[in-house]
Amino acid sequence: MPLRRRRRLLVIAAATVLVLLGAAVALASRGVLWPNRAFAARYEVRGIDVSAHQGEVDWPTVARQGVDFAYVKATEGSSFVDARFEDNVREARAAGLLVGAYHFFSFESSGEAQAEHVLETVPDEEGLLPVAVDVEHYGAFQAHPPDVATVRAELTALLETLRAHGEEPVVYATQAAYERYVAGAFPGTPIWIRSVYVPPSMSDARAWTFWQYSAKERLDGFDGDEPFVDMNVFRGDADELRALASQP
């Protein structure tokens, strides 16, 4: 094959690849195409996690779209309460979903104070899924993550205070936060891992309990400023998920 023709074919091939990549990125940004959906399809129990950013949720509509459980934001730090928390818990449960509350862990408050805030806010009711503690880098801490020993100490205080009140929590973490603060620690604590582009892989070979596989799902039933909702799967069947629900 002449060199000139070979070069032209290579240029065409490279341009085609770039066009396809661009199209894939554009579709992913709109939630049309998401790489993890095929991997997550093997798990039968699906759920969402929401906060006030999703606005008022039509929970019966959500439940009709193959959603089995929901984690709703309750608290953040030592004083913030999500504006939609009580309504979301009540209405999601009325729609037949298994429901749990999640707390956004702050690097700026003591673990004990955060735990007390959770206990004051989240109702001690039969049938709720375990409280999830969301650990991720945020704001200026993304570029300057806090010290590992300090974070682990406060997170330990939070988890132990919850346990002392009969609440066995779940730890949610992004891959970066997991590797920095959670890997190799907190044995026995169920893990909810965020990995939205590829299936999760933890350096300590720990098995996850929940997996957040998408941050760009579009479902009917939301009217908030945020057009997308996070999607999750549970490693187990519906009976096993119900078994995690809190007891009176």
Side-chain angles (χ1 to χ4, degrees), residues 104-109 114 134-155 174 176-182:
F104 191 93
F105 179 75
S106 171
F107 298 131
E108 301 158 274
S109 303
Q114 293 185 62
D134 178 346
V135 183
E136 58 184 276
H137 303 102
Y138 60 89
F141 295 113
Q142 295 185 51
H144 305 285
D147 173 72
V148 173
T150 300
V151 171
R152 282 189 176 178
E154 297 301 340
L155 183 55
T174 61
Y178 182 87
E179 295 303 329
R180 179 168 282 117
Y181 302 121
V182 182

Side-chain angles (χ1 to χ4, degrees), residues 5 36 51 58 63 70 101 124 134 153 161-162 180 183-184 200 211 233:
R5 184 182 177 191
N36 266 340
S51 70
D58 182 341
D124 181 16
D134 178 346
T161 302
L162 292 179
R180 179 168 282 117
W211 168 28
V233 289

Side-chain angles (χ1 to χ4, degrees), residues 5 54 81 87 96 106 112-113 119-120 128 130 132 139 149-150 153-154 181 187 191 202 211 218 228 232 242 245:
R5 184 182 177 191
Q54 274 76 33
V81 177
D87 289 338
S106 171
E112 186 173 354
L119 293 166
E120 290 170 358
L128 287 179
T150 300
E154 297 301 340
Y181 302 121
I191 298 299
M202 280 89 96
W211 168 28
R218 287 185 181 272
F228 301 113
N232 307 270
R242 280 190 286 272

Side-chain angles (χ1 to χ4, degrees), residues 2-241:
L3 180 59
R4 181 178 299 176
R5 184 182 177 191
R6 187 182 304 167
R7 286 176 175 171
R8 184 170 58 194
L9 290 175
L10 287 173
V11 169
I12 292 172
T16 301
V17 169
L18 288 174
V19 169
L20 291 174
L21 285 174
V25 169
L27 290 172
S29 69
R30 296 198 295 271
V32 176
L33 175 69
W34 202 255
N36 266 340
R37 285 191 186 126
F39 298 108
R42 61 178 290 196
Y43 302 100
E44 62 181 72
V45 181
R46 301 196 315 150
I48 61 173
D49 57 275
V50 301
S51 70
H53 293 299
Q54 274 76 33
E56 186 171 348
V57 182
D58 182 341
W59 286 104
T61 295
V62 170
R64 288 194 293 269
Q65 296 171 85
V67 175
D68 304 295
F69 69 91
Y71 264 96
V72 301
K73 184 172 184 178
T75 49
E76 181 173 333
S78 59
S79 60
F80 178 84
V81 177
D82 188 88
R84 293 287 307 164
F85 171 60
E86 291 185 359
D87 289 338
N88 279 334
V89 170
R90 182 181 65 255
E91 294 168 15
R93 297 189 78 183
L97 300 183
L98 283 171
V99 181
Y102 79 86
H103 167 77
F104 191 93
F105 179 75
S106 171
F107 298 131
E108 301 158 274
S109 303
S110 75
E112 186 173 354
Q114 293 185 62
E116 294 296 340
H117 182 43
V118 172
L119 293 166
E120 290 170 358
T121 306
V122 178
D124 181 16
E125 295 180 358
E126 180 180 356
L128 287 179
L129 292 170
V131 168
V133 178
D134 178 346
V135 183
E136 58 184 276
H137 303 102
Y138 60 89
F141 295 113
Q142 295 185 51
H144 305 285
D147 173 72
V148 173
T150 300
V151 171
R152 282 189 176 178
E154 297 301 340
L155 183 55
T156 296
L158 191 160
L159 299 178
E160 290 184 349
T161 302
L162 292 179
R163 289 193 185 103
H165 287 79
E167 183 68 59
E168 181 59 45
V170 171
V171 168
Y172 165 101
T174 61
Q175 291 264 203
Y178 182 87
E179 295 303 329
R180 179 168 282 117
Y181 302 121
V182 182
F186 312 109
T189 300
I191 298 299
W192 176 5
I193 190 71
R194 173 187 169 92
S195 183
V196 297
Y197 297 110
V198 296
S201 177
M202 280 89 96
S203 62
D204 56 357
R206 192 167 181 172
W208 52 265
T209 300
F210 296 95
W211 168 28
Q212 186 183 99
Y213 70 87
S214 173
K216 292 279 188 176
E217 210 69 19
R218 287 185 181 272
L219 297 178
D220 296 330
F222 301 96
D223 70 354
D225 296 332
E226 174 55 64
F228 301 113
V229 64
D230 297 331
M231 288 298 302
N232 307 270
V233 289
F234 170 70
R235 189 197 290 270
D237 60 27
D239 287 338
E240 290 172 306
L241 182 61

